[in-house]
Amino acid sequence: MMELVCPAGTPAALRAAVEAGAHAVYCGFSDETNARNFPGLNFSPEELVPAVAGAHKRGAKVLVALNTFPRAGGEKLWHQRLADAEAAGVDAVILADIGLLDYAATHHPNLRRHLSVQAAAANPDAINFYAEAFDVKRVVLPRVLTVAEISAINKEIDVETEAFVFGGLCVMAEGRCALSSYATGLSPNMNGVCSPASHVVYAEEGPDLAAKLGGFTIHRTPKDRPAPYPTLCKGCFTSGEQTGHVFEDPVSLDARHLIPALAKAGVTALKIEGRQRSRAYVAEVVRAFRAATDALADGRELPLAELARLTEGQSATAGAYAKTWR
């Protein structure tokens, strides 16, 4: 059976994911060591210990994301969080920074290492380097690959692969985005915040509602229509004679229909994005995907539950799996 890796932004969401059927959950600490460093989210070292114990009691794994890039002179925080993760008994850590991977391999050799999507390893040579240099056991693939490309990669590597199938869609090569940093002064890859709510403003301007990020207008919609969250890469821009969503529409990834193809391509685990989401959201999405993975394992037709209302803008895309970039 393909492993279902599910988000847990809080202890309550972790319990909801496990109870809904997650094979594994991923979470982070309440600081800049993880790429979802938002107020009210994540775990203290003290909260992680009982969370791991509870998940293990129900047969689920816990993966901890330490997937930002340490600040020069601030590495001790990341080193301490590695020790905290191992002390809590987590099943693996998800890392992106080469220096942190080396530190983990040297000082925590028994702590299983997964390569974060933030490392943007998108070809066999890069993945094999991480496996040989740091004994990485699994790579989370960037959301810029087709199923055929994933299949080609799996034929040339000996590590497990994990692919995103639902949730927020980053259209950049993760770990390389400077758009949000430019607008807000905070880096998704170092501070762990992309388009942070602290820099979001909604303002009425004539007949429109403007959604702004860091002072930049990202969307402008009529007041009687819902305004999308101002994630910069999903904003409206003018490029040549075109005005609209130049990079990507403000929608979510939904690749449930591709699960059989991903299995055939050799993917080990399916990943759901959404650590900033509520426990009710997590539970509903996990139940739908667990039903799909169970059906695949049993040779039955996949049930495609209606999840559109849980997606951004109430609509979804296959993203790079279909490569419909403009």
Side-chain angles (χ1 to χ4, degrees), residues 4-292:
L4 188 58
V5 182
C6 306
T10 63
L14 186 148
R15 291 191 296 271
V18 171
E19 291 169 2
H23 299 118
V25 293
Y26 65 101
C27 58
F29 289 107
S30 302
D31 52 42
E32 59 189 301
T33 60
N34 88 90
R36 285 292 183 272
N37 180 25
F38 295 107
L41 288 185
N42 302 308
F43 292 68
S44 68
E46 295 75 22
E47 289 173 322
L48 186 61
V49 174
V52 171
H56 286 171
K57 188 175 181 179
R58 296 186 67 111
K61 300 175 184 176
V62 178
L63 320 176
V64 168
L66 298 168
N67 56 344
T68 50
F69 297 83
R71 291 177 286 102
E75 300 89 347
K76 286 185 178 180
L77 175 61
W78 280 259
H79 296 171
Q80 181 59 52
R81 292 297 177 250
L82 274 170
D84 293 336
E86 186 167 45
V90 305
D91 297 277
V93 286
I94 308 169
L95 310 174
D97 182 73
I98 289 180
L100 194 59
L101 280 158
D102 181 64
Y103 182 90
T106 302
H107 297 276
H108 303 277
N110 296 322
L111 185 57
R112 179 179 165 102
R113 291 170 290 285
H114 292 184
L115 187 65
S116 171
V117 68
Q118 294 290 320
N123 61 69
D125 288 343
I127 294 169
N128 286 330
F129 165 76
Y130 284 105
E132 293 165 8
F134 310 115
D135 195 26
V136 164
K137 300 298 186 184
R138 178 184 295 180
V139 56
V140 184
L141 296 170
R143 287 164 279 194
V144 294
L145 299 169
T146 64
V147 175
E149 289 167 337
I150 292 172
S151 178
I153 287 172
N154 277 325
K155 291 174 183 176
E156 297 186 46
I157 64 174
D158 293 323
V159 301
E160 300 172 356
T161 51
E162 182 173 308
F164 281 93
V165 289
F166 194 84
L169 176 63
C170 179
V171 300
M172 303 300 167
E174 283 99 341
R176 308 291 184 270
C177 180
L179 288 175
S180 180
S181 303
Y182 178 84
T184 68
L186 295 174
S187 167
N189 312 120
M190 295 186 72
N191 304 109
V193 285
C194 174
S195 304
S198 57
H199 288 67
V200 171
V201 173
Y202 293 94
E204 292 187 2
E205 297 182 354
D208 298 328
L209 181 65
K212 301 184 178 185
L213 179 70
F216 295 91
T217 299
I218 309 302
H219 296 284
R220 193 183 300 278
T221 55
K223 292 179 184 178
D224 59 348
R225 292 175 53 193
Y229 189 86
T231 303
L232 206 152
C233 62
K234 297 179 183 179
C236 287
F237 302 93
T238 297
S239 176
E241 297 181 356
Q242 176 187 355
T243 297
H245 299 289
V246 176
F247 295 108
E248 177 60 279
D249 295 326
V251 297
S252 295
L253 173 68
D254 186 354
R256 278 172 298 163
H257 62 291
L258 292 175
I259 290 176
L262 290 169
K264 189 175 180 180
V267 171
T268 300
L270 305 173
K271 189 163 196 170
I272 297 170
E273 188 275 341
R275 281 191 283 151
Q276 71 277 34
R277 301 286 189 167
S278 71
R279 59 183 177 181
Y281 169 98
V282 169
E284 187 166 352
V285 174
V286 172
R287 276 194 295 269
F289 274 87
R290 179 58 191 264

